[in-house]
Amino acid sequence: MRPYDIILKKRNGGTLSREEIEFMVSGYVTGEIKDYQMAAFLMAVYFKSMNAQETLYLTETMAKSGDMVDLSKIEGIKVDKHSSGGVGDKTTLVVAPLCAACGVPVAKMSGRGLGHTGGTLDKLEAISGFQINLSSEQFINNVNKYKIAVVGQTGNLVPADKKMYALRDSTGTVDSIPLIASSIMSKKLAGGADAIVLDVKTGSGAFMQTPQEAIALARSMVEIGTGAKRQTIALITDMDQPLGRAIGNSIEVIEAIDTLRGRGPSDLEELAIEISSHMLICGNICGNYKDAKAMLLSALDSGMALNKFKNMIEAQGGDSSAVDDYDKLPKAKFKVEVLATHEGYVEKINAMEIGNAAMILGAGRATKEDTIDPAVGVILEKKIGDYVESGTKIVTIHANDMGLAKIAYDRLLSAYAFTSRMPKIQSLIHYIVNSQGVFTYEYK
Ligand code: URA
């Protein structure tokens, strides 16, 4: 086999075999296939795409390029959850303890934030002492003992994706459905879970800006998961405005804890309950949605979910007293109020702009090498549908640098659009995609 022939075959719209795909991916990981050849291959995939079978071969080959996590020593059906990334998306901090409290073993590997989107690990590290690096033995012991552990990627997980993603980033080949789907799902397969619930975001703050794009990505990922014999379902959820009100690491932890206490923002609670209910069903804890929802609400009411969050913090070296005393979390020096310059209903909040403003304050990273400030961020005081008068506070900035707060102020103001009529409020979950097809989401 020669890389040249495989590139040409894909460039001409041909269908590649498992062997051809393996040859390209493993050759690239070992260095026998050069960057310029892989770049041409990726561009050919970008233009000619891949069918479901090719995408599954690509994903499985990438997953096997490094360590495959073995979770077989954890009892029960391990259910993973993945979000395609959004602004203010702290659902894992709520979903993981909720599901653990209901008996689903949650052995989760999470990532860091980049650009306008945040990352679960950065949020957890806002808690003093919290360790995201555990040995595999510790990871497995914690899940067996408490049903919950959230860590960074351990070992040499999917080196093919690391190398290919960096190349895609610099060759204009990121936004290709088979390449995104294989990149995400190879990490999920290597992560070792038995079942996967995907939260694919759509809207102004999402990677996939339209529902059609989000559905195409979700279908591809569900096909991969099903082909790899992992029960996989995807929810297509709204990211046309940030989730909840807090965007920033420490303040998002506070919002997640409030939600675990049953007094968080309604959209975050709703999404966490919906995702968790599918996790309970995939994990064979409940046979139907109604039972799952009742069980989850009781885990919130009884404080069991909050206790699981404390268990996890303690088991990972963190100061769990922060759960009851928010003063123990990092706090910004300054609070600046952003005031509306118009009167009317909030019609739109550009989620990407809000994410960028939080990044400017230091809550996120422009490049992977940047360090973040856990204390800073923004609280959205008004969301879509709220009525404001001119001069009303719409956002509170938490800043450690007044110069940066000034820059963020203008971005935040311009992220809001107002209208004289009450706008239509979108439902939070648009579709569900499973191995049977795509369905409009019905709240039960
Ligand atoms: N996230 C990933 O992990 N991979 C992609 O290709 C895009 C988003």
Side-chain angles (χ1 to χ4, degrees):
M1 266 189 258
R2 295 189 312 163
Y4 177 86
D5 299 319
I6 297 170
I7 294 165
L8 219 60
K9 187 168 174 188
K10 187 38 79 186
R11 190 203 71 180
N12 294 337
T15 302
L16 302 179
S17 66
R18 182 191 280 276
E19 291 70 32
E20 287 168 326
I21 291 170
E22 274 175 4
F23 176 80
M24 286 305 293
V25 173
S26 50
Y28 186 54
V29 174
T30 59
E32 283 152 72
I33 288 176
K34 305 294 172 206
D35 275 351
Y36 55 82
Q37 292 167 313
M38 184 48 91
F41 174 76
L42 293 170
M43 191 56 88
V45 173
Y46 177 90
F47 280 114
K48 298 295 176 176
S49 197
M50 278 184 156
N51 66 26
Q53 191 70 70
E54 290 175 291
T55 311
L56 175 61
Y57 292 152
L58 176 61
T59 310
E60 289 182 332
T61 308
M62 288 168 71
K64 286 183 203 145
S65 66
D67 300 340
M68 299 284 282
V69 179
D70 178 7
L71 299 180
S72 60
K73 292 207 183 100
I74 298 173
E75 300 133 30
I77 301 175
K78 279 72 71 183
V79 188
D80 199 357
K81 169 245 166 206
H82 177 82
S83 157
S84 66
V87 180
D89 184 2
K90 69 283 288 172
T91 25
T92 295
L93 302 187
V94 183
V95 163
L98 248 180
C99 287
C102 295
V104 179
V106 182
K108 176 121 191 69
M109 285 190 196
S110 284
R112 296 200 177 277
L114 187 61
H116 68 283
T117 65
T120 301
L121 298 182
D122 298 323
K123 294 169 202 188
L124 285 170
E125 281 181 340
I127 302 166
S128 164
F130 194 95
Q131 293 302 317
I132 55 127
N133 294 316
L134 299 184
S135 67
S136 3
E137 205 187 351
Q138 239 181 329
F139 180 50
I140 286 169
N141 285 346
N142 284 7
V143 182
N144 272 332
K145 192 160 176 198
Y146 301 110
K147 299 263 179 231
I148 182 169
V150 180
V151 296
Q153 277 187 10
T154 51
N156 182 30
L157 216 73
V158 199
D161 180 61
K162 290 197 187 90
K163 228 178 148 183
M164 286 164 73
Y165 195 87
L167 192 62
R168 285 167 59 208
D169 217 15
S170 57
T171 56
T173 49
V174 168
D175 51 341
S176 146
I177 299 279
L179 296 180
I180 299 172
S182 56
S183 165
I184 294 174
M185 290 301 287
S186 59
K187 288 173 279 201
K188 296 287 113 188
L189 299 188
D194 305 306
I196 303 154
V197 176
L198 300 162
D199 176 9
V200 182
K201 307 279 185 198
T202 181
S204 64
F207 214 49
M208 301 281 122
Q209 301 238 325
T210 67
Q212 288 70 30
E213 290 171 318
I215 288 173
L217 177 62
R219 286 182 87 130
S220 179
M221 293 196 289
V222 168
E223 275 167 359
I224 293 169
T226 310
K229 309 218 164 8
R230 318 282 172 107
Q231 188 184 357
T232 306
I233 69 148
L235 303 181
I236 310 286
T237 75
D238 191 68
M239 188 36 73
D240 233 0
Q241 64 175 334
L243 187 65
R245 293 183 181 276
I247 299 102
N249 297 287
S250 174
I251 53 180
E252 286 194 47
V253 169
I254 292 174
E255 191 168 79
I257 298 169
D258 280 346
T259 307
L260 287 167
R261 285 210 161 87
R263 51 174 204 232
S266 57
D267 57 348
L268 176 60
E269 178 175 322
E270 181 187 330
L271 185 60
I273 294 281
E274 294 296 314
I275 292 172
S276 303
S277 62
H278 291 286
M279 290 176 71
L280 259 55
I281 294 168
C282 288
N284 264 354
I285 300 287
C286 294
N288 62 58
Y289 177 91
K290 200 165 152 255
D291 292 350
K293 193 165 174 182
M295 194 179 209
L296 290 159
L297 290 175
S298 137
L300 277 184
D301 281 353
S302 63
M304 276 169 66
L306 188 68
N307 257 340
K308 280 287 167 198
F309 192 58
K310 282 189 192 168
N311 289 159
M312 175 182 74
I313 296 173
E314 278 159 25
Q316 297 191 220
D319 177 6
S320 67
S321 67
V323 170
D324 298 310
D325 180 1
Y326 296 159
D327 283 342
K328 296 204 168 155
L329 290 165
K331 225 186 221 163
K333 277 191 249 165
F334 310 109
K335 281 190 189 170
V336 179
E337 295 183 352
V338 178
L339 306 179
T341 50
H342 294 74
E343 176 183 319
Y345 294 95
V346 177
E347 183 187 20
K348 288 185 184 150
I349 303 176
N350 185 318
M352 192 179 289
E353 271 304 277
I354 301 282
N356 284 331
M359 184 178 72
I360 289 167
L361 291 167
R365 299 180 181 79
T367 71
K368 270 192 213 145
E369 290 70 36
D370 290 350
T371 50
I372 57 160
D373 180 346
V376 302
V378 300
I379 302 277
L380 305 183
E381 308 290 351
K382 299 290 172 193
K383 293 199 68 180
I384 293 177
D386 288 341
Y387 187 80
V388 299
E389 315 235 323
S390 182
T392 308
K393 174 171 68 168
I394 50 174
V395 180
T396 304
I397 299 175
H398 291 232
N400 274 330
D401 178 322
M402 282 306 282
L404 296 177
K406 271 204 181 100
I407 302 170
Y409 191 106
D410 293 335
R411 302 279 292 247
L412 291 162
L413 200 54
S414 67
Y416 274 73
F418 299 91
T419 175
S420 57
R421 290 215 193 135
M422 176 73 182
K424 187 168 176 279
I425 309 285
Q426 299 251 34
S427 65
L428 191 59
I429 307 178
H430 303 309
Y431 301 98
I432 180 163
V433 182
N434 61 25
S435 57
Q436 313 296 309
V438 181
F439 305 92
T440 303
Y441 198 72
E442 281 176 32
Y443 290 86
K444 292 177 195 130

